[in-house]
Amino acid sequence: MHERALRLIDLIISEALDEIRPSFDPLKGYEYCLRGECEGVGEALEYLYERGYLRKELHDRVASCPNCGSEVFLLRAKCPYCGSLNFSKGIVIEHLSCGYSGLEEEFMSPDGRRICPKCGKELKAPGVDYIRVADIYRCASCKEAFSVPLYSYRCLNCGHEGPMIELVPKEVYKYLVVREAFESDPISRKILDIVRKLADIGYRVEGPRARVKGRSGAEYDFTIAVWLEGSDEPIAVLDFVRGPIDDERLLSFFAKSLDVMAKERILVTQAKDSLMEAKASRLGIRVFELEDEDLVGKIGEVLLSLHVKGSET
Ligand SMILES: [Zn+2]
Ligand SMILES: [Zn+2]
Ligand SMILES: [Zn+2]
């Protein structure tokens, strides 16, 4: 499990957090931060969400860059015909006497009076014989007139540019803590405790759900998988079994742990019985009891003995 996810679990429990909301940074967009730290928090939240410790609720829906997903943009206004930035605002005037309408500049005579280019009469006063009809933009490059510029974006994260219509809606979530997953399940707590302690020792550990690829190419889920740093094959895989272990459970665990080439195979059960333990032992599977006070210590010893053996050969 990620270091960050473990710290997040600590924080959720110790500070009784109910939810984690994203904050908006004008330079980076939405991000998740806890106690001033933001790096890796989003991934850790997603990790816990996938494992049922958090649920998601819609917090915001934003426009995002089609190239990189960022929501931080510089928006630009351009001429919709030629894309030029070089346009200016003008006013459209209608001469009421003759019905002609055109840009204000067409009415301007060199001596500063307003003369209608159609009928040649001088305009008197706004509202009397002429009215301002609309505001309009005039492009200096292509000379086209338009009432709404084309707005385009430049992504401040990746530099991608395009018309705003290209932007992609993106959901931004807040995460809500599923209390029951943390508290009312002693098995989950135990699993997290083991994962945390093994990670502290320096193993690479995944849990409470570890996906491991076997030699056959198939992928298997274990409750916990443990690796030595830099190695692809797990040194140990563990499954936690609620209730007693039956033959089917034992054999399926045996098969998948064999395929992933785990050196140590451990089943942790709530109800240990000696017959099943003997069967497991013949398959090279250790059985530990969930209620065992020293469960973590025993698992640690098994792993340690592997190193010792490994360094001797
Ligand atoms: Zn981008
Ligand atoms: Zn233009
Ligand atoms: Zn006129």
Tab-separated table of all heavy atoms in Angstrom, residues 148-201:
chain	number	residue	atom	x	y	z
A	148	VAL	N	-20.162	38.687	-31.756
A	148	VAL	CA	-19.549	37.929	-30.664
A	148	VAL	C	-18.190	37.410	-31.137
A	148	VAL	O	-18.113	36.719	-32.155
A	148	VAL	CB	-20.426	36.723	-30.249
A	148	VAL	CG1	-19.786	35.969	-29.088
A	148	VAL	CG2	-21.824	37.183	-29.874
A	149	PRO	N	-17.126	37.737	-30.433
A	149	PRO	CA	-15.820	37.213	-30.838
A	149	PRO	C	-15.755	35.701	-30.602
A	149	PRO	O	-16.580	35.142	-29.888
A	149	PRO	CB	-14.831	37.920	-29.906
A	149	PRO	CG	-15.606	38.915	-29.141
A	149	PRO	CD	-17.042	38.550	-29.215
A	150	LEU	N	-14.806	35.055	-31.211
A	150	LEU	CA	-14.586	33.639	-30.946
A	150	LEU	C	-13.667	33.546	-29.724
A	150	LEU	O	-12.558	34.067	-29.740
A	150	LEU	CB	-13.908	32.973	-32.148
A	150	LEU	CG	-13.538	31.506	-31.933
A	150	LEU	CD1	-14.768	30.623	-32.046
A	150	LEU	CD2	-12.488	31.062	-32.942
A	151	TYR	N	-14.164	32.896	-28.693
A	151	TYR	CA	-13.324	32.736	-27.508
A	151	TYR	C	-12.560	31.431	-27.624
A	151	TYR	O	-13.116	30.396	-27.964
A	151	TYR	CB	-14.169	32.756	-26.237
A	151	TYR	CG	-14.739	34.133	-25.973
A	151	TYR	CD1	-16.092	34.405	-26.166
A	151	TYR	CD2	-13.900	35.172	-25.569
A	151	TYR	CE1	-16.602	35.671	-25.948
A	151	TYR	CE2	-14.405	36.447	-25.347
A	151	TYR	CZ	-15.750	36.693	-25.541
A	151	TYR	OH	-16.245	37.944	-25.339
A	152	SER	N	-11.282	31.503	-27.378
A	152	SER	CA	-10.465	30.296	-27.442
A	152	SER	C	-9.646	30.195	-26.167
A	152	SER	O	-9.526	31.153	-25.416
A	152	SER	CB	-9.556	30.326	-28.662
A	152	SER	OG	-8.539	31.285	-28.469
A	153	TYR	N	-9.139	29.002	-25.924
A	153	TYR	CA	-8.391	28.785	-24.690
A	153	TYR	C	-6.947	28.427	-24.993
A	153	TYR	O	-6.630	27.895	-26.062
A	153	TYR	CB	-9.025	27.650	-23.863
A	153	TYR	CG	-8.827	26.298	-24.497
A	153	TYR	CD1	-7.702	25.529	-24.184
A	153	TYR	CD2	-9.734	25.809	-25.422
A	153	TYR	CE1	-7.501	24.308	-24.795
A	153	TYR	CE2	-9.533	24.588	-26.016
A	153	TYR	CZ	-8.418	23.846	-25.710
A	153	TYR	OH	-8.203	22.641	-26.316
A	154	ARG	N	-6.106	28.729	-24.039
A	154	ARG	CA	-4.752	28.214	-24.063
A	154	ARG	C	-4.571	27.526	-22.719
A	154	ARG	O	-4.727	28.144	-21.656
A	154	ARG	CB	-3.740	29.349	-24.216
A	154	ARG	CG	-2.320	28.873	-24.259
A	154	ARG	CD	-1.355	30.066	-24.313
A	154	ARG	NE	-0.105	29.695	-23.689
A	154	ARG	CZ	0.845	28.991	-24.293
A	154	ARG	NH1	0.704	28.625	-25.548
A	154	ARG	NH2	1.945	28.661	-23.649
A	155	CYS	N	-4.286	26.216	-22.747
A	155	CYS	CA	-4.114	25.459	-21.502
A	155	CYS	C	-2.810	25.894	-20.840
A	155	CYS	O	-1.757	25.883	-21.468
A	155	CYS	CB	-4.083	23.966	-21.812
A	155	CYS	SG	-3.638	22.970	-20.385
A	156	LEU	N	-2.898	26.289	-19.590
A	156	LEU	CA	-1.702	26.781	-18.908
A	156	LEU	C	-0.843	25.639	-18.376
A	156	LEU	O	0.252	25.841	-17.899
A	156	LEU	CB	-2.094	27.719	-17.763
A	156	LEU	CG	-2.765	29.022	-18.228
A	156	LEU	CD1	-3.059	29.919	-17.039
A	156	LEU	CD2	-1.887	29.763	-19.239
A	157	ASN	N	-1.355	24.437	-18.509
A	157	ASN	CA	-0.553	23.288	-18.066
A	157	ASN	C	0.272	22.729	-19.221
A	157	ASN	O	1.469	22.530	-19.093
A	157	ASN	CB	-1.468	22.209	-17.483
A	157	ASN	CG	-0.704	21.042	-16.938
A	157	ASN	OD1	0.241	21.214	-16.159
A	157	ASN	ND2	-1.061	19.843	-17.355
A	158	CYS	N	-0.380	22.488	-20.378
A	158	CYS	CA	0.348	21.837	-21.474
A	158	CYS	C	0.518	22.737	-22.688
A	158	CYS	O	1.211	22.378	-23.636
A	158	CYS	CB	-0.350	20.535	-21.877
A	158	CYS	SG	-1.867	20.772	-22.829
A	159	GLY	N	-0.115	23.906	-22.674
A	159	GLY	CA	0.070	24.832	-23.785
A	159	GLY	C	-0.851	24.605	-24.967
A	159	GLY	O	-0.820	25.350	-25.936
A	160	HIS	N	-1.694	23.583	-24.881
A	160	HIS	CA	-2.632	23.285	-25.969
A	160	HIS	C	-3.586	24.463	-26.181
A	160	HIS	O	-4.036	25.069	-25.224
A	160	HIS	CB	-3.425	22.032	-25.594
A	160	HIS	CG	-4.110	21.386	-26.745
A	160	HIS	ND1	-5.429	21.599	-27.021
A	160	HIS	CD2	-3.645	20.528	-27.677
A	160	HIS	CE1	-5.756	20.889	-28.096
A	160	HIS	NE2	-4.688	20.233	-28.518
A	161	GLU	N	-3.870	24.762	-27.470
A	161	GLU	CA	-4.784	25.853	-27.778
A	161	GLU	C	-5.916	25.378	-28.665
A	161	GLU	O	-5.709	24.489	-29.499
A	161	GLU	CB	-4.045	26.981	-28.507
A	161	GLU	CG	-3.191	27.814	-27.590
A	161	GLU	CD	-2.543	28.980	-28.326
A	161	GLU	OE1	-3.286	29.872	-28.780
A	161	GLU	OE2	-1.316	28.979	-28.439
A	162	GLY	N	-7.072	25.964	-28.528
A	162	GLY	CA	-8.181	25.597	-29.400
A	162	GLY	C	-9.424	26.381	-29.044
A	162	GLY	O	-9.436	27.110	-28.047
A	163	PRO	N	-10.488	26.236	-29.854
A	163	PRO	CA	-11.738	26.917	-29.538
A	163	PRO	C	-12.379	26.301	-28.295
A	163	PRO	O	-12.165	25.122	-28.008
A	163	PRO	CB	-12.602	26.669	-30.773
A	163	PRO	CG	-12.035	25.448	-31.402
A	163	PRO	CD	-10.576	25.433	-31.081
A	164	MET	N	-13.154	27.106	-27.575
A	164	MET	CA	-13.712	26.630	-26.306
A	164	MET	C	-14.628	25.427	-26.473
A	164	MET	O	-14.809	24.649	-25.545
A	164	MET	CB	-14.419	27.766	-25.586
A	164	MET	CG	-13.403	28.528	-24.777
A	164	MET	SD	-13.942	29.994	-23.977
A	164	MET	CE	-15.439	29.592	-23.226
A	165	ILE	N	-15.163	25.269	-27.687
A	165	ILE	CA	-16.081	24.154	-27.923
A	165	ILE	C	-15.377	22.804	-27.773
A	165	ILE	O	-15.998	21.777	-27.518
A	165	ILE	CB	-16.740	24.311	-29.315
A	165	ILE	CG1	-17.977	23.427	-29.429
A	165	ILE	CG2	-15.763	24.058	-30.434
A	165	ILE	CD1	-18.932	23.895	-30.489
A	166	GLU	N	-14.058	22.815	-27.890
A	166	GLU	CA	-13.260	21.581	-27.741
A	166	GLU	C	-13.125	21.115	-26.294
A	166	GLU	O	-12.742	19.979	-26.039
A	166	GLU	CB	-11.824	21.832	-28.212
A	166	GLU	CG	-11.564	21.635	-29.658
A	166	GLU	CD	-10.081	21.804	-29.951
A	166	GLU	OE1	-9.272	21.980	-29.014
A	166	GLU	OE2	-9.739	21.769	-31.134
A	167	LEU	N	-13.370	22.023	-25.350
A	167	LEU	CA	-13.127	21.692	-23.945
A	167	LEU	C	-14.029	20.539	-23.493
A	167	LEU	O	-15.141	20.381	-23.979
A	167	LEU	CB	-13.363	22.922	-23.066
A	167	LEU	CG	-12.374	24.067	-23.296
A	167	LEU	CD1	-12.789	25.293	-22.507
A	167	LEU	CD2	-10.957	23.634	-22.924
A	168	VAL	N	-13.522	19.761	-22.588
A	168	VAL	CA	-14.216	18.543	-22.165
A	168	VAL	C	-14.722	18.708	-20.725
A	168	VAL	O	-13.951	19.095	-19.851
A	168	VAL	CB	-13.233	17.344	-22.222
A	168	VAL	CG1	-13.924	16.074	-21.793
A	168	VAL	CG2	-12.657	17.208	-23.622
A	169	PRO	N	-15.999	18.419	-20.487
A	169	PRO	CA	-16.484	18.506	-19.096
A	169	PRO	C	-15.782	17.472	-18.207
A	169	PRO	O	-15.556	16.344	-18.641
A	169	PRO	CB	-17.976	18.181	-19.204
A	169	PRO	CG	-18.310	18.220	-20.649
A	169	PRO	CD	-17.047	17.977	-21.410
A	170	LYS	N	-15.437	17.895	-17.029
A	170	LYS	CA	-14.740	16.984	-16.106
A	170	LYS	C	-15.384	17.070	-14.729
A	170	LYS	O	-15.666	18.160	-14.249
A	170	LYS	CB	-13.260	17.384	-16.015
A	170	LYS	CG	-12.440	16.503	-15.081
A	170	LYS	CD	-10.959	16.838	-15.144
A	170	LYS	CE	-10.566	17.847	-14.098
A	170	LYS	NZ	-9.109	18.060	-14.038
A	171	GLU	N	-15.606	15.912	-14.120
A	171	GLU	CA	-16.202	15.891	-12.793
A	171	GLU	C	-15.092	16.015	-11.751
A	171	GLU	O	-14.056	15.396	-11.877
A	171	GLU	CB	-16.957	14.586	-12.540
A	171	GLU	CG	-18.160	14.366	-13.430
A	171	GLU	CD	-17.792	13.967	-14.850
A	171	GLU	OE1	-16.750	13.312	-15.028
A	171	GLU	OE2	-18.530	14.333	-15.784
A	172	VAL	N	-15.366	16.838	-10.756
A	172	VAL	CA	-14.438	16.951	-9.628
A	172	VAL	C	-15.191	16.451	-8.400
A	172	VAL	O	-16.313	16.894	-8.135
A	172	VAL	CB	-13.986	18.413	-9.427
A	172	VAL	CG1	-13.061	18.525	-8.227
A	172	VAL	CG2	-13.310	18.933	-10.693
A	173	TYR	N	-14.594	15.532	-7.696
A	173	TYR	CA	-15.290	14.897	-6.583
A	173	TYR	C	-14.746	15.318	-5.231
A	173	TYR	O	-13.593	15.717	-5.112
A	173	TYR	CB	-15.170	13.370	-6.686
A	173	TYR	CG	-15.865	12.811	-7.896
A	173	TYR	CD1	-15.152	12.496	-9.047
A	173	TYR	CD2	-17.245	12.622	-7.880
A	173	TYR	CE1	-15.794	11.982	-10.163
A	173	TYR	CE2	-17.895	12.110	-8.994
A	173	TYR	CZ	-17.162	11.791	-10.129
A	173	TYR	OH	-17.807	11.291	-11.223
A	174	LYS	N	-15.612	15.203	-4.242
A	174	LYS	CA	-15.122	15.211	-2.875
A	174	LYS	C	-15.246	13.776	-2.367
A	174	LYS	O	-16.053	12.998	-2.875
A	174	LYS	CB	-15.892	16.194	-2.004
A	174	LYS	CG	-17.364	15.898	-1.880
A	174	LYS	CD	-18.026	16.932	-0.986
A	174	LYS	CE	-19.526	16.718	-0.954
A	174	LYS	NZ	-20.233	17.719	-0.172
A	175	TYR	N	-14.435	13.427	-1.408
A	175	TYR	CA	-14.433	12.063	-0.876
A	175	TYR	C	-15.049	12.056	0.516
A	175	TYR	O	-14.708	12.884	1.360
A	175	TYR	CB	-13.004	11.532	-0.803
A	175	TYR	CG	-12.395	11.303	-2.156
A	175	TYR	CD1	-11.740	12.334	-2.833
A	175	TYR	CD2	-12.463	10.055	-2.778
A	175	TYR	CE1	-11.184	12.134	-4.084
A	175	TYR	CE2	-11.910	9.846	-4.025
A	175	TYR	CZ	-11.264	10.888	-4.676
A	175	TYR	OH	-10.714	10.682	-5.915
A	176	LEU	N	-15.967	11.130	0.712
A	176	LEU	CA	-16.606	11.007	2.025
A	176	LEU	C	-16.115	9.726	2.691
A	176	LEU	O	-16.003	8.677	2.049
A	176	LEU	CB	-18.128	10.957	1.858
A	176	LEU	CG	-18.717	12.150	1.104
A	176	LEU	CD1	-20.198	11.951	0.840
A	176	LEU	CD2	-18.495	13.438	1.881
A	177	VAL	N	-15.815	9.843	3.949
A	177	VAL	CA	-15.263	8.708	4.686
A	177	VAL	C	-16.363	7.691	4.995
A	177	VAL	O	-17.435	8.060	5.485
A	177	VAL	CB	-14.610	9.200	5.994
A	177	VAL	CG1	-14.196	8.025	6.875
A	177	VAL	CG2	-13.411	10.086	5.662
A	178	VAL	N	-16.117	6.451	4.664
A	178	VAL	CA	-17.050	5.381	5.024
A	178	VAL	C	-16.610	4.862	6.396
A	178	VAL	O	-15.706	4.047	6.507
A	178	VAL	CB	-17.030	4.243	3.977
A	178	VAL	CG1	-18.017	3.142	4.353
A	178	VAL	CG2	-17.354	4.787	2.593
A	179	ARG	N	-17.225	5.433	7.422
A	179	ARG	CA	-16.822	5.144	8.805
A	179	ARG	C	-16.766	3.642	9.101
A	179	ARG	O	-15.828	3.134	9.691
A	179	ARG	CB	-17.801	5.783	9.790
A	179	ARG	CG	-17.520	7.214	10.092
A	179	ARG	CD	-16.380	7.360	11.094
A	179	ARG	NE	-15.599	8.521	10.702
A	179	ARG	CZ	-14.315	8.679	10.907
A	179	ARG	NH1	-13.629	7.744	11.528
A	179	ARG	NH2	-13.678	9.745	10.490
A	180	GLU	N	-17.826	2.962	8.682
A	180	GLU	CA	-17.932	1.533	8.999
A	180	GLU	C	-16.723	0.758	8.490
A	180	GLU	O	-16.239	-0.155	9.153
A	180	GLU	CB	-19.200	0.920	8.389
A	180	GLU	CG	-20.483	1.682	8.677
A	180	GLU	CD	-20.684	2.869	7.745
A	180	GLU	OE1	-20.951	2.633	6.566
A	180	GLU	OE2	-20.549	4.029	8.204
A	181	ALA	N	-16.251	1.178	7.305
A	181	ALA	CA	-15.117	0.455	6.730
A	181	ALA	C	-13.894	0.588	7.626
A	181	ALA	O	-13.044	-0.290	7.678
A	181	ALA	CB	-14.823	0.980	5.334
A	182	PHE	N	-13.804	1.707	8.337
A	182	PHE	CA	-12.637	1.927	9.192
A	182	PHE	C	-12.809	1.318	10.570
A	182	PHE	O	-11.893	0.810	11.160
A	182	PHE	CB	-12.393	3.427	9.365
A	182	PHE	CG	-11.714	4.033	8.175
A	182	PHE	CD1	-12.442	4.582	7.148
A	182	PHE	CD2	-10.326	4.046	8.100
A	182	PHE	CE1	-11.810	5.133	6.056
A	182	PHE	CE2	-9.694	4.592	7.010
A	182	PHE	CZ	-10.431	5.139	5.983
A	183	GLU	N	-14.030	1.433	11.091
A	183	GLU	CA	-14.187	1.137	12.507
A	183	GLU	C	-14.843	-0.182	12.845
A	183	GLU	O	-14.355	-0.924	13.683
A	183	GLU	CB	-14.975	2.278	13.169
A	183	GLU	CG	-14.056	3.442	13.439
A	183	GLU	CD	-14.819	4.702	13.779
A	183	GLU	OE1	-16.058	4.645	13.838
A	183	GLU	OE2	-14.159	5.723	13.974
A	184	SER	N	-15.972	-0.470	12.188
A	184	SER	CA	-16.740	-1.608	12.670
A	184	SER	C	-16.205	-2.935	12.137
A	184	SER	O	-16.782	-3.971	12.346
A	184	SER	CB	-18.213	-1.439	12.309
A	184	SER	OG	-18.337	-1.556	10.909
A	185	ASP	N	-15.105	-2.874	11.414
A	185	ASP	CA	-14.578	-4.114	10.881
A	185	ASP	C	-13.192	-4.412	11.460
A	185	ASP	O	-12.192	-3.883	11.007
A	185	ASP	CB	-14.521	-4.023	9.360
A	185	ASP	CG	-14.045	-5.329	8.745
A	185	ASP	OD1	-13.901	-6.315	9.492
A	185	ASP	OD2	-13.806	-5.341	7.539
A	186	PRO	N	-13.143	-5.258	12.487
A	186	PRO	CA	-11.858	-5.539	13.146
A	186	PRO	C	-10.856	-6.172	12.187
A	186	PRO	O	-9.649	-5.960	12.309
A	186	PRO	CB	-12.232	-6.500	14.271
A	186	PRO	CG	-13.547	-7.081	13.876
A	186	PRO	CD	-14.233	-6.034	13.057
A	187	ILE	N	-11.354	-6.912	11.215
A	187	ILE	CA	-10.438	-7.556	10.273
A	187	ILE	C	-9.717	-6.497	9.441
A	187	ILE	O	-8.500	-6.544	9.280
A	187	ILE	CB	-11.187	-8.558	9.362
A	187	ILE	CG1	-11.808	-9.662	10.235
A	187	ILE	CG2	-10.249	-9.154	8.333
A	187	ILE	CD1	-12.428	-10.797	9.475
A	188	SER	N	-10.475	-5.507	8.982
A	188	SER	CA	-9.852	-4.442	8.196
A	188	SER	C	-8.767	-3.726	8.992
A	188	SER	O	-7.701	-3.413	8.497
A	188	SER	CB	-10.892	-3.421	7.744
A	188	SER	OG	-11.800	-4.048	6.890
A	189	ARG	N	-9.077	-3.473	10.245
A	189	ARG	CA	-8.100	-2.771	11.086
A	189	ARG	C	-6.837	-3.598	11.243
A	189	ARG	O	-5.726	-3.087	11.200
A	189	ARG	CB	-8.701	-2.495	12.467
A	189	ARG	CG	-9.587	-1.287	12.477
A	189	ARG	CD	-9.606	-0.698	13.859
A	189	ARG	NE	-8.659	0.395	13.922
A	189	ARG	CZ	-8.989	1.602	14.361
A	189	ARG	NH1	-10.193	1.843	14.779
A	189	ARG	NH2	-8.093	2.550	14.408
A	190	LYS	N	-7.048	-4.875	11.436
A	190	LYS	CA	-5.911	-5.785	11.612
A	190	LYS	C	-5.068	-5.814	10.337
A	190	LYS	O	-3.845	-5.751	10.381
A	190	LYS	CB	-6.455	-7.193	11.899
A	190	LYS	CG	-5.459	-8.098	12.545
A	190	LYS	CD	-5.728	-8.137	14.033
A	190	LYS	CE	-4.850	-9.152	14.745
A	190	LYS	NZ	-5.267	-9.312	16.133
A	191	ILE	N	-5.745	-5.899	9.211
A	191	ILE	CA	-5.033	-5.943	7.933
A	191	ILE	C	-4.211	-4.675	7.755
A	191	ILE	O	-3.023	-4.715	7.414
A	191	ILE	CB	-6.034	-6.111	6.757
A	191	ILE	CG1	-6.686	-7.489	6.822
A	191	ILE	CG2	-5.332	-5.920	5.411
A	191	ILE	CD1	-7.888	-7.666	5.915
A	192	LEU	N	-4.845	-3.535	8.042
A	192	LEU	CA	-4.146	-2.259	7.879
A	192	LEU	C	-2.955	-2.176	8.825
A	192	LEU	O	-1.899	-1.650	8.482
A	192	LEU	CB	-5.108	-1.100	8.133
A	192	LEU	CG	-6.168	-0.932	7.051
A	192	LEU	CD1	-7.206	0.104	7.470
A	192	LEU	CD2	-5.529	-0.542	5.728
A	193	ASP	N	-3.152	-2.717	10.016
A	193	ASP	CA	-2.076	-2.717	11.008
A	193	ASP	C	-0.870	-3.508	10.484
A	193	ASP	O	0.273	-3.064	10.556
A	193	ASP	CB	-2.632	-3.350	12.295
A	193	ASP	CG	-1.663	-3.196	13.446
A	193	ASP	OD1	-1.005	-2.139	13.500
A	193	ASP	OD2	-1.563	-4.121	14.271
A	194	ILE	N	-1.158	-4.670	9.914
A	194	ILE	CA	-0.076	-5.505	9.375
A	194	ILE	C	0.615	-4.804	8.207
A	194	ILE	O	1.843	-4.737	8.143
A	194	ILE	CB	-0.641	-6.881	8.932
A	194	ILE	CG1	-1.089	-7.661	10.167
A	194	ILE	CG2	0.397	-7.663	8.146
A	194	ILE	CD1	-1.904	-8.899	9.852
A	195	VAL	N	-0.197	-4.267	7.311
A	195	VAL	CA	0.360	-3.577	6.139
A	195	VAL	C	1.282	-2.449	6.592
A	195	VAL	O	2.408	-2.297	6.115
A	195	VAL	CB	-0.779	-3.016	5.254
A	195	VAL	CG1	-0.238	-2.062	4.211
A	195	VAL	CG2	-1.535	-4.154	4.582
A	196	ARG	N	0.813	-1.684	7.550
A	196	ARG	CA	1.577	-0.541	8.043
A	196	ARG	C	2.910	-0.988	8.657
A	196	ARG	O	3.965	-0.425	8.373
A	196	ARG	CB	0.738	0.168	9.102
A	196	ARG	CG	1.221	1.539	9.475
A	196	ARG	CD	0.438	2.034	10.662
A	196	ARG	NE	-0.978	1.648	10.539
A	196	ARG	CZ	-1.941	2.480	10.189
A	196	ARG	NH1	-1.671	3.718	9.915
A	196	ARG	NH2	-3.191	2.055	10.120
A	197	LYS	N	2.849	-2.028	9.485
A	197	LYS	CA	4.068	-2.452	10.174
A	197	LYS	C	5.084	-3.038	9.196
A	197	LYS	O	6.282	-2.760	9.302
A	197	LYS	CB	3.733	-3.452	11.277
A	197	LYS	CG	3.054	-2.708	12.417
A	197	LYS	CD	3.025	-3.466	13.709
A	197	LYS	CE	2.527	-2.555	14.831
A	197	LYS	NZ	1.359	-3.094	15.533
A	198	LEU	N	4.613	-3.823	8.246
A	198	LEU	CA	5.543	-4.398	7.272
A	198	LEU	C	6.155	-3.293	6.408
A	198	LEU	O	7.338	-3.341	6.063
A	198	LEU	CB	4.842	-5.441	6.394
A	198	LEU	CG	4.376	-6.702	7.124
A	198	LEU	CD1	3.658	-7.643	6.156
A	198	LEU	CD2	5.531	-7.427	7.802
A	199	ALA	N	5.357	-2.276	6.098
A	199	ALA	CA	5.875	-1.149	5.311
A	199	ALA	C	6.930	-0.399	6.115
A	199	ALA	O	7.954	0.035	5.580
A	199	ALA	CB	4.745	-0.216	4.902
A	200	ASP	N	6.692	-0.273	7.415
A	200	ASP	CA	7.663	0.405	8.287
A	200	ASP	C	9.000	-0.322	8.296
A	200	ASP	O	10.061	0.289	8.325
A	200	ASP	CB	7.130	0.477	9.730
A	200	ASP	CG	6.089	1.577	9.875
A	200	ASP	OD1	5.980	2.390	8.936
A	200	ASP	OD2	5.399	1.604	10.905
A	201	ILE	N	8.931	-1.649	8.269
A	201	ILE	CA	10.164	-2.431	8.280
A	201	ILE	C	10.941	-2.217	6.979
A	201	ILE	O	12.153	-2.323	6.948
A	201	ILE	CB	9.840	-3.945	8.465
A	201	ILE	CG1	9.187	-4.171	9.831
A	201	ILE	CG2	11.109	-4.798	8.362
A	201	ILE	CD1	8.645	-5.580	10.019
